[in-house]
Amino acid sequence: MFDWFFNFINWLVAIYESWPLGVQITFMTLVKIVALMAPLMVCVAYLTFAERKIIGYMQSRLGPNRVGPRGWLQPIADAVKLMFKEIIIPTGSNKYLFLISPILSIAPALAVWAVIPFNDGMVLADINAGLLYVLAVTSLGVYGVIIAGWASNSKYALLGAMRIGAQIVAYEIAMGFALVGVLMAAGSLNLGEIVKGQSGSIFHWYWLPLLPLFLIYFISGVAETNRAPFDVAEGESEIVAGFHVEYSGMAFAVFFLAEYANMILIAALAAIMFLGGWLSPFQGLPEAVFAVPVLGAVLGGGIHWLLIKMSFFLFCFLWFRATFPRYRYDQIMRLGWKVFIPITIIWLLVLGLMILGNVPPWWSAA
Amino acid sequence: MLENYLPVLIFMIVGLAVGAIMIVLGFALSTSKPDSEKLSPYECGFEAFEDARMKFDVRYYLVAILFILFDLEIAFLFPWAVVLEKIGMFGYIAMAIFLGILVIGFIYEWKKGALEWE
């Protein structure tokens, strides 16, 4: 009955096996990349929906509820609308830079996902320099923004780009120091190894021994992605939309995608480095519990725990936006340079002593 | 070992391609009816006066220079942090001296007001 189907599959497999090895590897990698990127894009789309709904409910509104059942088709309608909107290229702009900059800002936001481990061994590129790669590639995102602001040849865009550039580099230092703390604790740059180093129980996760670095990392992450309360670079009421004021249609949508992909990335990294990634918080319970068929799979470690932790951080992003008023620019710079950097430097020195001395109260993990 | 980096390279190319395809798609699907008012830079409805590429505050340069110093330092700390347990107290003290020198510079620029934004 289904013979034709199996024949078809066999035929496809035969074609695949007739290719040279290099092509086979490249093809499989591309399949994996699509399998990673498609859910990511759906997450980005529904994160915008979640943002509008959650902030709506926090402000006693309903949020979008017209397109589809309870508004669930809203992000798709938005995407279609943006696709058909005219892309305006201002007369005074540098045309090529203007169009290249959205690409420069989304490429790093996507490329970092190559090294994110979703489960034990479930990672596209299991490279030893994982965290270094993350730091390097996320830093590239600022180019897209600065070039966009410059190429637009508009005052608001230039002001927004200058602000965002200075803000991102200031917080990147605090973020980098926080990452150094994680490295000291884990002794490895590989993100999978970092997660495995946290196994034990919820108190072995690095959030506890690295508590100040954890908080600084997440707050810097909010600042890096220009989310409220650090969104002076695109503050609607001050400089309209900042660096992407001249962008419309798909060119704007690409910036938008990059911003939300970066938010999800920060959430994933925070979950992996400080909340034990795919590890279950119930680790340490008697073995018998994990042998129960369904319950054991739910309570045991797995990708679902990573997703739950990421959802928590993403909810925090939205919560902050609904709660806090925007910082003034000088306050942002003061927080970055005069508060976070001194705290992280001191904490790194303390941490080094604790690791070398194997001080038990909060360094039993090493 | 090095073949582990192939997916990274492919992913970067895919990332660039996704951005490029989306913009090309945007051009292909959308209409284009330019006129001089629509293409002028946005300035809250006013006529644009003077060039947008104006002088901006020197402090942005200052921040960029400080960033280079500190980012280099982080790049220097990365390998140190990975092998900290192997190099022990000697490595720790060496890095503490390095950080100490850097902190002196940091205090100097703080006192000089390089970090002030009014």
Side-chain angles (χ1 to χ4, degrees):
Chain A
M1 194 177 166
F2 289 109
D3 275 354
W4 63 270
F5 181 71
F6 290 117
N7 285 338
F8 181 65
I9 298 284
N10 283 334
W11 181 66
L12 285 183
V13 171
I15 289 182
Y16 173 72
E17 279 172 352
S18 69
W19 290 340
L21 189 64
V23 180
Q24 282 187 13
I25 294 174
T26 311
F27 179 76
M28 282 318 283
T29 312
L30 280 175
V31 170
K32 284 181 197 162
I33 289 174
V34 171
L36 200 162
M37 214 181 266
L40 179 65
M41 289 297 179
V42 175
C43 283
V44 168
Y46 277 90
L47 182 58
T48 65
F49 180 63
E51 173 164 31
R52 293 163 72 180
K53 272 285 185 194
I54 289 172
I55 292 179
Y57 281 120
M58 282 181 178
Q59 297 169 345
S60 303
R61 297 182 284 116
L62 284 179
N65 63 348
R66 282 287 175 265
V67 190
R70 304 181 74 100
W72 274 91
L73 296 179
Q74 184 70 46
I76 296 165
D78 288 340
V80 172
K81 183 198 80 174
L82 281 170
M83 218 177 274
F84 288 98
K85 287 280 181 188
E86 180 175 356
I87 299 177
I88 296 168
I89 303 174
T91 35
S93 64
N94 298 43
K95 199 173 170 202
Y96 295 107
L97 287 179
F98 187 80
L99 291 176
I100 285 171
S101 55
I103 302 174
L104 280 184
S105 95
I106 195 165
L110 294 176
V112 183
W113 287 91
V115 297
I116 302 290
F118 294 94
N119 202 342
D120 199 358
M122 196 174 156
V123 52
L124 188 67
D126 192 16
I127 56 176
N128 278 335
L131 204 57
L132 192 61
Y133 173 78
V134 168
L135 187 73
V137 175
T138 48
S139 318
L140 291 178
V142 70
Y143 283 104
V145 170
I146 296 237
I147 292 174
W150 173 258
S152 300
N153 201 355
S154 160
K155 288 181 189 120
Y156 293 107
L158 186 70
L159 281 174
M162 296 316 295
R163 284 187 178 189
I164 212 172
Q167 178 185 334
I168 287 182
V169 298
Y171 281 87
E172 200 171 291
I173 294 168
M175 205 172 202
F177 276 127
L179 296 185
V180 170
V182 173
L183 287 182
M184 289 163 75
S188 171
L189 279 162
N190 185 307
L191 287 168
E193 297 292 321
I194 290 173
V195 173
K196 282 175 205 155
Q198 302 176 53
S199 48
S201 72
I202 195 164
F203 298 109
H204 288 75
W205 296 353
Y206 292 151
W207 68 272
L208 191 59
L210 306 182
L211 190 61
L213 297 182
F214 168 50
L215 296 177
I216 286 174
Y217 177 81
F218 190 58
I219 296 170
S220 307
V222 177
E224 286 272 290
T225 46
N226 302 306
R227 298 290 304 177
F230 299 101
D231 60 344
V232 284
E234 42 192 280
E236 300 85 351
S237 48
E238 301 170 34
I239 49 172
V240 282
F243 67 95
H244 58 54
V245 64
E246 300 290 350
Y247 283 83
S248 62
M250 250 354 217
F252 164 74
V254 174
F255 273 123
F256 200 71
L257 274 180
E259 179 182 331
Y260 280 79
N262 272 327
M263 270 168 72
I264 301 179
L265 182 75
I266 295 288
L269 285 172
I272 285 169
M273 292 188 302
F274 296 101
L275 288 191
W278 66 78
L279 300 175
S280 155
F282 298 105
Q283 235 181 358
L285 287 182
E287 282 299 312
V289 177
F290 298 106
V292 181
V294 178
L295 188 72
V298 173
L299 293 187
I303 186 170
H304 54 286
W305 284 114
L306 179 63
L307 296 180
I308 290 170
K309 289 162 190 170
M310 281 166 65
S311 310
F312 166 72
F313 285 118
L314 288 173
F315 181 76
C316 288
F317 269 102
L318 308 182
W319 195 5
F320 293 161
R321 179 164 171 198
T323 309
F324 296 123
R326 184 178 297 139
Y327 269 114
R328 230 168 45 220
Y329 195 68
D330 62 318
Q331 292 171 326
I332 290 184
M333 296 309 268
R334 193 175 63 215
L335 182 69
W337 287 102
K338 294 189 177 174
V339 179
F340 282 0
I341 291 176
I343 290 179
T344 45
I345 290 181
I346 290 168
W347 196 255
L348 286 187
L349 291 174
V350 171
L351 192 64
L353 277 184
M354 293 297 167
I355 289 175
L356 290 177
N358 241 328
V359 181
W362 33 267
W363 206 261
S364 52
Chain B
M1 183 54 234
L2 203 59
E3 70 264 17
N4 285 340
Y5 287 85
L6 180 69
V8 171
L9 178 68
I10 296 175
F11 211 128
M12 279 181 174
I13 295 167
V14 170
L16 289 171
V18 165
I21 288 169
M22 280 170 60
I23 291 194
V24 170
L25 202 70
F27 273 109
L29 292 177
S30 63
T31 51
S32 179
K33 291 183 199 142
D35 65 60
S36 66
E37 289 298 308
K38 196 195 270 180
L39 296 187
S40 64
Y42 175 73
E43 216 149 287
C44 294
F46 289 99
E47 294 281 328
F49 59 100
E50 77 179 9
D51 191 35
R53 280 152 192 180
M54 52 205 170
K55 288 180 219 161
F56 48 79
D57 206 317
V58 68
R59 279 176 298 197
Y60 289 110
Y61 290 104
L62 217 54
V63 166
I65 292 168
L66 291 178
F67 166 70
I68 292 174
L69 284 181
F70 277 92
D71 215 36
L72 269 179
E73 183 200 351
I74 288 167
F76 189 40
L77 277 170
F78 259 54
W80 170 81
V82 174
V83 294
L84 177 63
E85 288 187 49
K86 294 194 190 84
I87 52 179
M89 213 31 149
F90 175 75
Y92 177 79
I93 289 170
M95 188 49 83
I97 292 170
F98 172 73
L99 277 180
I101 294 170
L102 203 103
V103 165
I104 292 171
F106 187 63
I107 293 170
Y108 174 74
E109 84 205 18
W110 189 324
K111 292 279 173 234
K112 274 282 177 188
L115 305 174
E116 300 294 335
W117 291 73
E118 264 109 34

